[in-house]
Each structure stands twice: as structure tokens, then as C-alpha cells.
Amino acid sequence: MIRLAAGLLAAAVTLALPAVLDDSALAVYILLGLAAIVTVGVSLLMGYAGQVSLGQGAFYAIGAYTAALLALGGVPPVAGLIAAPVVAALSALVIGTPLLRLRGHHLAFATLAMQLILLSLAGQLEFTGGDIGLQAIPQFSIGSFQAESAAAYAYLTWGGLALVLLVTHNVSTSRPGRALRALATSETAAASSGIPVGRYKLVVFALSAAFAGLAGGIYCFYAGYVAPGSFPVLISIQYIVMAVVGGLGTLWGAVVGATAITLLVQGLDSLATLPWMPSYAPSVLSYAVYALVLIVVVLFLPQGLLPTLTDRLSRKRPRERRAR
């Protein structure tokens, strides 16, 4: 009952915020939602399949470039948005087949190298616009409806997040979801139980890439342009931090982590742009905050914010009942 009430309250607040926020706050709200979409996939990949990927930014970029190229080629934007997660997932299947033979930090470095290679190619190829990128991307539209306001993109973003959460919930509560949990605990034990380890790892890798591709597709229509500089390496690290801070393997932990880190980074960006701050302050503060937040969470909140809070509340209720 409490979970249902909390969910309804969160949905009401989500729907009400675009109507009351100004354009600058809406921009943060949209970027927060996009980050949450990608982070849900990262949490699924790391928390259930036990795979560490530093290349989710690459699939975010693949989704953005796919939707942008199709829209600029005259394809309806809604078709481009649908194609974005599909192409990202197919790319993950191709890339993941050799890469997922690796484990641990070897896989992390390989996925990081994948993103660096992709960004380098995007900066050199003519059809991607090179370093300048693709500009004048048409606004998102469905039939006669055209998303002309930031509020419309906010609803589109959070609608995408709702879809991603629904898919993740269905996956995590299904039989394959239970198999993924066993896979994260021990690949050897999972294989001995008859679980097709390689196939499951590849599928969840592709699913997390599809989530990132969906977010990238929405981003390209909202921003109106895409370029290699839109997808720095730091963005993949940011998604990892969000997933760890919120709580790996939890449905709402990714949303909590994305919210906390996005708001924290926005506050630090405001601080870094003050007149008395040095020119290198934005980049230094960004890297410093990720390092400090990770250290604090690993030392004091190893399960993440949401699982720790839920655990403390569940312990508090029996004490209150006994006190009565």
C-alpha cells in the first residue's frame, strides 16, 4: 500500500513539474530523465549480469546519430526514434559477441576503447558531419503533433523512462531475471545449473544498449544537433556513478542516483562559473565530485542510497510496533 501511494505521488509530481518549471529548470529536468533512462540499463547490466561497461555513452551516441541521420534524410521523426534503440541494440550484439568474452576490468577497458573509437570515427566520417556534427535536426513529431516546447520534450523523456522501467520490471521478475541474478552471483554456478551464460550476458548487454539508444534518440531531437563533443568519455563514467550511488540491481535506485548526481553536478557547475573561480574549475570539480561520491558510497553506503534507506526504514517499523 505504501509503495503504491509512493508510486502515485511520484507520477503526479512528474506530470506536474513541466507545467511549473521555467526553461532552464526544464533543461535540467529533461537531462535528468535521459540520464535515468541510461542508468536503468547500467544498473541492469551491472546489478543483474555483473558486467561492468564504460561504453554506454557510445550506445547513447549511436541512438542519437541514428535518429538524426534518419530525420535529416526525410524519415518521420517517430520512425527515427523507434530505430534509435533498435540500431543501438544490434550494434551491441555485434560488438558484444567478442567483447563479452572478457571479464572485470578487462571488459571495462574494452568498452571504454569502443567509445573512443566510435567518437574518433564520428569526427572523421563525412556523413556524420565530422567534428562539427549534424545540425538543424527536425523537431520530434507524430502526425500533426510537433514537440515545439521544452515541456513536450520533458513529457516525452519521462514517458520513455516509464517504458524503460516497465520493461526492466518485467525482465527482473521473470524467469530470465532470476537467472541473471544467479549469473551475477557466480557464472560457474549459473552455468552448472543449465543457464546459457553467454547468451544471457549478450541479451542484457543489448537491452541496456537499447535503453541508451532510446535516450540518445530523444536527446538529438531536443538538442537539435549532435556532435562527437556531445558524448564525452566522462558521460559513461557518470552513468556508472549514478547506478552505484542509487543502488545496483534496483529498479528505482537508478532514478534516485541519476537525480542525486544530476542535481549535484548542476550545483557544482553553477559554483564553477562564479567570477572568482579559475577557468579550469568546471572540469576539476566534475572529476573530483565523481571520485569523492564513489569513495563515500563505497565506504559508508555500499548498497547505494535507495537500498540503505529502505533497509533502515524496514528496521525502524518493527521497533515502533514493539514500542506500542
Side-chain angles (χ1 to χ4, degrees):
M1 190 66 178
I2 296 177
R3 290 184 178 180
L4 177 61
L8 292 175
L9 178 61
V13 172
T14 300
L15 293 173
L17 279 176
V20 298
L21 295 176
D22 57 24
D23 287 343
S24 61
L26 269 176
V28 177
Y29 191 58
I30 293 170
L31 293 177
L32 191 159
L34 294 176
I37 292 174
V38 184
T39 307
V40 169
V42 173
S43 182
L44 180 66
L45 182 63
M46 294 180 62
Y48 283 87
Q51 306 300 311
V52 181
S53 173
L54 290 176
Q56 290 305 104
F59 299 116
Y60 187 59
I62 288 174
Y65 272 103
T66 298
L69 287 169
L70 290 176
L72 290 171
V75 177
V78 65
L81 183 58
I82 294 173
V86 174
V87 173
L90 291 176
S91 301
L93 290 175
V94 174
I95 296 171
T97 300
L99 287 191
L100 291 181
R101 299 175 183 273
L102 304 174
R103 298 181 182 180
H105 64 278
H106 297 289
L107 176 61
F109 288 142
T111 53
L112 178 61
M114 172 194 68
Q115 181 172 350
L116 293 173
I117 293 171
L118 178 68
L119 293 178
S120 177
L121 288 174
Q124 298 294 326
L125 296 176
E126 184 177 351
F127 76 93
T128 59
D131 290 329
I132 298 176
L134 302 174
Q135 302 180 20
I137 299 172
Q139 293 180 328
F140 180 78
S141 62
I142 301 178
S144 59
F145 169 78
Q146 190 169 5
E148 297 179 348
S149 65
Y153 284 102
Y155 287 122
L156 177 64
T157 299
W158 286 84
L161 177 59
L163 175 62
V164 165
L165 289 172
L166 178 62
V167 172
T168 305
H169 173 73
N170 289 334
V171 169
S172 62
T173 56
S174 65
R175 184 175 180 180
R178 293 189 291 272
L180 285 174
R181 292 183 182 181
L183 176 62
T185 303
S186 173
E187 288 189 15
T188 303
S192 64
S193 300
I195 297 173
V197 174
R199 188 192 312 164
Y200 273 40
K201 286 168 61 176
L202 187 59
V203 169
V204 74
F205 187 67
L207 183 60
S208 68
F211 293 167
L214 175 62
I218 297 173
Y219 171 79
C220 90
F221 291 116
Y222 170 64
Y225 72 95
V226 291
S230 305
F231 315 99
V233 173
L234 183 61
I235 198 172
S236 292
I237 299 173
Q238 176 179 309
Y239 297 141
I240 297 290
V241 175
M242 289 176 176
V244 172
V245 168
L248 290 173
T250 60
L251 188 62
W252 291 100
V255 181
V256 172
T259 302
I261 296 301
T262 300
L263 295 180
L264 180 60
V265 169
Q266 289 297 321
L268 289 174
D269 286 343
S270 300
L271 176 64
T273 54
L274 292 176
W276 49 270
M277 294 294 289
S279 59
Y280 54 82
S283 59
V284 171
L285 286 177
S286 295
Y287 284 100
V289 70
Y290 293 145
L292 289 174
V293 167
L294 271 179
I295 292 172
V296 170
V297 170
V298 170
L299 289 178
F300 302 105
L301 302 170
Q303 292 181 321
L305 287 175
L306 188 61
T308 301
L309 180 61
T310 304
D311 185 54
R312 290 182 179 179
L313 289 176
S314 62
R315 291 180 182 179
K316 186 178 180 180
R317 287 171 190 165
R319 293 177 183 174
E320 292 178 349
R321 292 175 182 173
R322 289 194 296 267
R324 294 176 184 175

